[in-house]
Every structure is written in structure tokens, then in C-alpha cells.
Amino acid sequence: MPRGPLMIIGGAEDKLHKRTILKDFVAASGGADARIAVIPTASSLGPEVVEVYDALFRRLGAAEVVAVRPESREDAHDPELVARLAGATGIFMTGGNQLKLSALVCGTPLADAIVDAHERGVVVAGTSAGASIQSSHMVAFGGPGSTPKQRMTQVAAGLGLLDSTVIDQHFDQRNRYGRLLMIVAQSPQLLGIGVDEDTAAIVHHVDDHDVLSVVGRGAVTVFDPSRIVTNAYEAKRSSTLLASGVLLHVLPEGSRFDLTTRTLVAQAAGVDPAEAADLAEAGQDLRDLARDIAAADASPGALRRRLARSRTRPDTRQARREQQSPQHRTDQDGAS
């Protein structure tokens, strides 16, 4: 069975209006048959955070929503709690403190159950902290800023659902360019992925490739440091880092990116319906013209004139009908 999709949400997803991202999650989880497990461990809120997502997912058509909330590593070893993921068709990890989420979940049977669910085809989604933990490496904490500086942030282990990556969220809104650049400068084997608010990077595993597509209002920013030149290994304290040669990809909605080959996936050109209709009509006219010439019905010049008359005739008839209509005559009388 193929791996399930990953939905990496940059936080602050729309919960009131179109709710596009959450609708997509419920649909990917099975729609009316969806059984969703919510993991709210990162949140500092109590049961209300589960109540919010329970109401949202049920309103969007999910059949069942269950809470899986370990409050300690001991809880994350509890077979009864772990068993709640066994029948899940979708797993959703809320926002909050990603270091708390990592410290309580990673390396436990609950984490193994999340990975196993992903491997058997379950969709795994997370917003904010729940997005960061999906990568192999995770931003633990750190400040904003567009310039990468030594010791700007700290990294912790994630669940590893997405290999050789580090994910950051609220990316543009909280100006997290510098800290993601710092991480990839220190670990150039990692692909840096920054996800804006109300935006999702959706990853499907296709033919041994992880392919990312973008949905939402913002963008997904990818830093590829494969050929970086950096002084991260010798920079002191909080000094500014050299980060030259990083390949930048800014991916708006509709973009697709192959994370395995680190290349943009070409998009099929869209066709304007009106233009397509015009082309179809022109093609039919040409076929009629060729048929009539072949039948020696008339010369090409005469046929072209006949075709021109046929194109203008409907407009002429319509104009005559409008002139003869009672409303037109009334308007004319009123104008005089």
C-alpha cells in the first residue's frame, strides 16, 4: 500500500470561511467515512482545542473525531492511547509548542504508530507545531529576522515522515527566513521548507519520489543548499553567516516541486474555454471550406465571401428583430 499524503500547514488555516485546507484534509481522510485522530499535545489550551477541531471536522463531513493527547512520555507509551490510532483514516496534529510535542512524542510507541499509519496510507496533517514535527529535523525555537546568524535557532529531532528536510511555519508572517537559512547553512544535506499561514504543502509519494504541491493563500519557500558556500563551521557566537549559492524556490498555489530531485515540476498550460471554442469554430469552418472545394462547389474566393456573410448574418438578423420588437418601438416613440 502506498504511503499516505502529508499535509504540512503553516498555521492560522482558515476555519471560518472557505476552509479549503481543512476540507481537503477531511476529503483525503475519507470524507463521510473519515475517522480523524486529533493530537493536541503541542497546545497549551485544554479540551477546547479538541472541541474546535471536532466541530470543524464533523461539520465538514467526518464520521468520527477522537482525541489522542499524551501529557507525558509515559502517556505516549500507553497501549490504550496508542490503539486509538489503529482505525484512524486521518491524523491531525495541532499547533502550539513544537519542542513540547517532540519531547513527549518522538521515540515513543505513539510516534511509531503515527509513522506506521502514514506507511499504510493514512493522511497525516499538522498545523504550525504539527507541521514542523513532520520533518526529520525540526526547529525547536528561535527568533525572527531575514539575516542568518549563528545560534539564531535550535534544532530538535522530528518524526521523520519527510526525510532530509527541516520545516518552519508562519514563515513570511513572522519573518523566519534567517533562521531557516542558518539551519541549512549548518546542515547542507537538509532541504529547508518554509510554509506561510493559511497555506499547505501537500506531499505525495509517487514512483519513489516525494512530490510537493501547494494549496492556500500564501507560498511555500524552499531553500536548496546543495551547493552552498558558508562559514557556519567557524562563525563565532551570534555573527552573521555567509550563505552563498543557496537555490531559492518560492512556490505559490498550484505549484508542484519534486523534493527527491529538488526540481520544479512543469505545469500543464491552461486553456481558456472561450479561446478553445473559437479555435473549434475556426477548425470547423476550415473543414467545411476544404470539403466544398473538394466537391468543386465553388471557387475558394466565393466560398470565403459566403463564409463571411454567414458569420455576420446572425448579428444582422438579431439587430432586425430588436428593431421590430414592441419595446424598441416604445423606446423610439418615447425618444421622439
Side-chain angles (χ1 to χ4, degrees):
M1 183 178 291
R3 297 177 194 165
L6 301 175
M7 293 190 68
I8 302 162
I9 306 167
E13 69 279 5
D14 179 13
K15 300 179 183 69
L16 298 175
H17 303 293
K18 292 184 178 180
R19 296 171 290 190
T20 301
I21 293 169
L22 296 178
K23 283 180 181 176
D24 287 352
F25 168 67
V26 172
S29 300
D33 297 321
R35 182 177 184 273
I36 297 171
V38 176
I39 302 177
T41 301
S43 177
S44 60
L45 300 175
E48 56 264 35
V49 68
V50 177
E51 291 170 4
V52 167
Y53 282 106
D54 183 297
L56 278 168
F57 293 146
R58 289 181 189 276
R59 191 176 304 152
L60 294 173
E64 186 179 359
V65 180
V66 298
V68 181
R69 185 169 196 160
E71 293 291 356
S72 66
R73 288 188 68 82
E74 184 177 353
D75 288 346
H77 283 75
D78 182 354
E80 189 174 319
L81 193 69
V82 173
R84 295 185 191 178
L85 296 183
T89 60
I91 296 172
F92 189 91
M93 294 176 284
T94 71
N97 184 329
Q98 58 252 42
L99 187 56
K100 177 187 176 186
L101 183 59
S102 173
L104 298 188
V105 171
C106 289
T108 69
L110 183 62
D112 294 339
I114 296 171
V115 174
D116 290 344
H118 169 58
E119 292 291 337
R120 70 171 182 267
V122 172
V123 55
V124 178
T127 182
S128 191
S132 287
I133 200 172
Q134 295 184 49
S135 53
S136 56
H137 296 68
M138 185 192 78
V139 178
F141 53 82
S146 55
T147 303
K149 296 182 180 180
Q150 195 74 299
R151 303 181 184 178
M152 192 175 191
T153 188
Q154 299 292 322
V155 177
L159 287 170
L161 299 172
L162 197 58
D163 263 345
S164 302
T165 56
V166 57
I167 294 169
D168 209 348
Q169 15 74 15
H170 303 280
F171 192 65
D172 180 56
Q173 289 76 13
R174 299 188 186 179
N175 192 11
R176 289 177 166 174
Y177 295 85
R179 74 184 200 178
L180 191 59
L181 273 171
M182 189 218 80
I183 294 169
V184 299
Q186 292 182 348
S187 304
Q189 78 275 25
L190 300 179
L191 200 62
I193 301 174
V195 188
D196 291 350
E197 292 180 356
D198 195 25
T199 306
I202 304 175
V203 180
H204 288 88
H205 191 71
V206 183
D207 298 328
D208 293 325
H209 286 241
D210 287 319
V211 179
L212 179 155
S213 57
V214 182
V215 175
R217 290 191 300 112
V220 174
T221 301
V222 177
F223 291 142
D224 179 3
S226 301
R227 297 181 179 275
I228 192 173
V229 176
T230 182
N231 65 344
Y233 55 88
E234 61 182 5
K236 306 299 182 184
R237 297 181 180 175
S238 59
S239 58
T240 299
L241 295 182
L242 170 68
S244 177
V246 179
L247 194 56
L248 170 67
H249 305 270
V250 179
L251 310 172
E253 183 173 45
S255 302
R256 299 178 71 226
F257 188 84
D258 190 323
L259 297 170
T260 305
T261 60
R262 302 188 174 192
T263 55
L264 184 69
V265 178
Q267 297 294 301
V271 177
D272 184 285
E275 183 180 356
D278 288 344
L279 287 173
E281 183 182 353
Q284 185 60 50
D285 289 344
L286 287 173
R287 286 190 292 273
D288 291 346
L289 182 63
R291 181 201 60 205
D292 290 344
I293 290 173
D297 177 66
S299 68
L303 287 169
R304 280 195 295 272
R305 288 192 294 274
R306 183 189 306 168
L307 179 60
R309 286 196 300 273
S310 69
R311 284 178 172 173
T312 58
R313 195 173 299 132
D315 294 338
T316 304
R317 286 198 298 267
Q318 179 63 27
R320 286 175 180 170
R321 280 197 297 269
E322 290 176 355
Q323 289 175 353
Q324 294 167 0
S325 69
Q327 181 63 44
H328 181 80
R329 288 195 296 272
T330 301
D331 293 344
Q332 290 294 322
D333 293 343
S336 62

